[in-house]
Amino acid sequence: TYWTERVGPTAALATIRKLKSKNVPIHLGDIGRKMKAVWKSCASMNDINITIAGIDPICHFDFQHETPLVLKTLFTQIMLEKGFLATTALYASDAHNDEHLAKYSEGAKDAFSIISKAIDEGKPEKYLKGPVCHSGFKRLT
């Protein structure tokens, strides 16, 4: 309050007003719950074991398999081929809507189907076109 710069506090107040007027927290929760349902449905219809966790707007899933990072990498690869820069997590945004979720759902259904086939064949890594992703945050060198 003793600083001469007024842009930061003004922007913060404008953001808070917009969040309230558009009910953004409610929307973020709705998007997250719907995404969790997509993951659960896709995994269930393909007999793939996953664990879904996190608060609704910031959620993720993990493959319950002996090579979970291979499957995660394969999921990302397939979704990228379908036009989605996706991983096994969601950080919901006010920009996300039901149309986006419907398109994502179609891509995810295909991805889970391919992953199920790869698991059944016993060598999911043969489907990878690059290296397996890393887990967590750590130095790559």
Side-chain angles (χ1 to χ4, degrees):
T1 59
Y2 294 108
W3 227 10
T4 59
E5 191 269 328
R6 295 183 187 111
V7 173
T10 302
L13 291 171
T15 300
I16 291 167
R17 281 193 289 276
K18 183 68 97 173
L19 288 171
K20 286 182 177 180
S21 72
K22 291 186 71 182
N23 287 322
V24 172
I26 300 298
H27 174 72
L28 299 180
D30 289 344
I31 292 294
R33 281 186 291 283
K34 290 175 182 178
M35 183 63 84
K36 286 177 175 181
V38 166
W39 293 334
K40 184 177 181 179
S41 172
C42 289
S44 177
M45 72 174 66
N46 289 286
D47 294 322
I48 296 175
N49 292 322
I50 63 169
T51 301
I52 300 171
I55 62 173
D56 292 334
I58 308 171
C59 52
H60 67 277
F61 73 92
D62 296 305
F63 290 100
Q64 300 304 303
H65 186 265
E66 61 258 14
T67 58
L69 292 179
V70 169
L71 301 184
K72 178 181 179 179
T73 305
L74 185 54
F75 179 79
T76 300
Q77 175 184 298
I78 295 165
M79 292 299 283
L80 188 58
E81 290 169 356
K82 298 190 170 299
F84 293 92
L85 184 55
T87 183
T88 57
L90 169 73
Y91 292 83
S93 164
D94 185 47
H96 290 129
N97 60 40
D98 288 339
E99 182 181 335
H100 297 138
L101 282 173
K103 289 178 182 177
Y104 176 95
S105 178
E106 290 305 311
K109 284 177 189 174
D110 290 344
F112 275 85
S113 176
I114 293 167
I115 291 168
S116 178
K117 178 182 172 188
I119 291 169
D120 289 345
E121 290 177 3
K123 283 284 195 182
E125 56 276 353
K126 82 175 188 180
Y127 287 84
L128 297 181
K129 297 177 182 174
V132 175
C133 69
H134 297 273
S135 66
F137 295 101
K138 59 184 174 184
R139 292 186 67 88
L140 301 179
T141 59

